Amino acid sequence: MIHSTKNQLEYASLKPDGVLKDLVESIWMMKYHTDETEGSMIVPDGKIDVAFLAMEDGSFDIFISGIFTGPVIKPPFPKSTMGVMSFHPIAAEYIFQRSFADLKNNRQKLPGDYWGFCTNDLADFEHFYEKACNRIELQLTKEVDPRKLKLFELIYSSKGATTVKELSEQVGWKSRQINRYFNHWLGVSLKSYLNMIRFSNSLKQLKKGDFYPELNYGDQSHFIREVRKFAGVNPTFLNKNENDRFIQLSMMPEG
């Protein structure tokens, strides 16, 4: 489904199923129909992103980014289209076969023909989605370890409101080994990642104006500190989201 915001930001998103559902969080596209002059803010969501950017002047760039641990300013892209493949961290090992520790809080420009994509692929979202799914499947060359699948399933089902110890016991994987896995592939500890996912899952309640701490935050002060850490602003400012400044909130369905 295509959605639009008051600032002429049009976006669409789909979640893959089948073999890709555990590796890809979503495939989405944004179109800016105006001469955007102000940058937007992207807050951490614990994902690896590959972004394809087509500008009105015909330029086409591709970027890959690792895990961000704080807010990032996205520069203005007037009258542009951006298609994004948003991956769960497990994709580092099984899709990209590379560590993203060096890309923590950073991004890297990729060759203009990466995975065979070009400007024309951004003309239609359904086409972009289908091509993205097909290309990602080609990169999956080995079966995913069930223990790792269970680990991430527990992280997301708990909305990050769990502990390293609990995960270790449920998965049957020593906490030291899990932390080694996270630090190697992502450059962050499991505890840091859990805090990030917990914050990301708090965005929906913040958008609704509910500032009561949920998801096992110690108290109100702890909740506010975590929001400031990951978003750079306090909860009330995040809730207002003036001028669609925070992209994740702008793309979040109402209600």
Side-chain angles (χ1 to χ4, degrees):
M1 181 178 290
I2 306 255
H3 304 274
S4 296
T5 71
K6 58 190 176 185
N7 288 339
Q8 299 299 306
L9 167 61
E10 185 181 302
Y11 61 92
S13 177
L14 284 173
K15 293 180 179 293
D17 52 18
V19 69
L20 296 185
K21 69 180 179 65
D22 297 313
L23 298 161
V24 183
E25 191 275 333
S26 63
I27 295 170
W28 49 278
M29 184 179 288
M30 293 192 300
K31 291 180 181 288
Y32 293 91
H33 296 292
T34 60
D35 291 318
E36 184 191 31
T37 57
E38 295 185 7
S40 303
M41 192 71 72
I42 302 174
V43 295
D45 60 5
K47 306 299 185 297
I48 295 168
D49 290 333
V50 176
F52 303 81
L53 176 65
M55 301 293 290
E56 190 179 42
D57 64 7
S59 61
F60 181 67
D61 292 305
I62 307 175
F63 299 94
I64 189 168
S65 59
I67 300 293
F68 283 89
T69 60
V72 178
I73 296 177
K74 180 194 77 64
F77 296 128
K79 294 183 179 178
S80 62
T81 300
M82 179 183 290
V84 180
M85 304 174 195
S86 190
F87 294 88
H88 291 304
I90 199 169
E93 178 181 1
Y94 290 96
I95 297 297
F96 298 99
Q97 295 92 44
R98 57 153 291 180
S99 167
F100 280 78
D102 62 324
L103 282 181
K104 183 179 76 171
N105 295 320
N106 207 347
R107 68 175 187 171
Q108 173 186 345
K109 189 172 182 179
L110 297 172
D113 60 350
Y114 184 74
W115 282 2
F117 279 83
C118 64
T119 304
N120 292 339
D121 292 316
L122 299 184
D124 176 74
F125 174 66
E126 289 188 8
H127 166 78
F128 175 71
Y129 172 80
E130 292 296 333
K131 183 168 182 175
C133 288
N134 291 336
R135 196 60 187 82
I136 295 168
E137 280 198 48
L138 289 176
Q139 296 297 118
L140 183 60
T141 57
K142 64 178 181 178
E143 186 176 350
V144 182
D145 184 340
R147 185 175 56 173
K148 293 169 185 172
L149 285 176
K150 184 176 180 181
L151 172 65
F152 283 101
E153 179 186 336
L154 291 169
I155 290 173
Y156 298 133
S157 64
S158 70
K159 298 182 179 179
T162 185
T163 66
V164 175
K165 184 179 182 212
E166 288 171 341
L167 288 172
S168 174
E169 292 173 349
Q170 289 176 289
V171 177
W173 196 3
K174 292 182 179 179
S175 56
R176 189 178 356 174
Q177 294 175 323
I178 300 176
N179 269 311
R180 189 179 300 130
Y181 178 86
F182 269 78
N183 278 302
H184 171 73
W185 291 104
L186 304 173
V188 299
S189 69
L190 173 55
K191 183 177 180 181
S192 296
Y193 189 76
L194 287 171
N195 290 339
M196 196 181 305
I197 296 303
R198 182 172 59 173
F199 159 76
S200 183
N201 277 280
S202 297
L203 289 178
K204 184 175 291 187
Q205 72 171 88
L206 289 173
K207 182 171 183 175
K208 293 188 296 185
D210 180 4
F211 305 129
Y212 183 80
E214 300 175 0
L215 301 177
N216 290 345
Y217 284 101
D219 52 29
Q220 190 80 24
S221 297
H222 181 211
F223 181 55
I224 293 172
R225 284 198 306 272
E226 289 292 290
V227 171
R228 285 176 175 165
K229 173 183 175 181
F230 290 116
V233 297
N234 61 39
T236 53
F237 191 94
L238 200 61
N239 164 257
K240 291 178 182 177
N241 194 26
E242 295 180 354
N243 300 315
D244 289 321
R245 182 182 179 191
F246 293 92
I247 289 180
Q248 283 101 324
L249 289 172
S250 300
M251 295 178 67
M252 194 176 290
E254 298 291 341

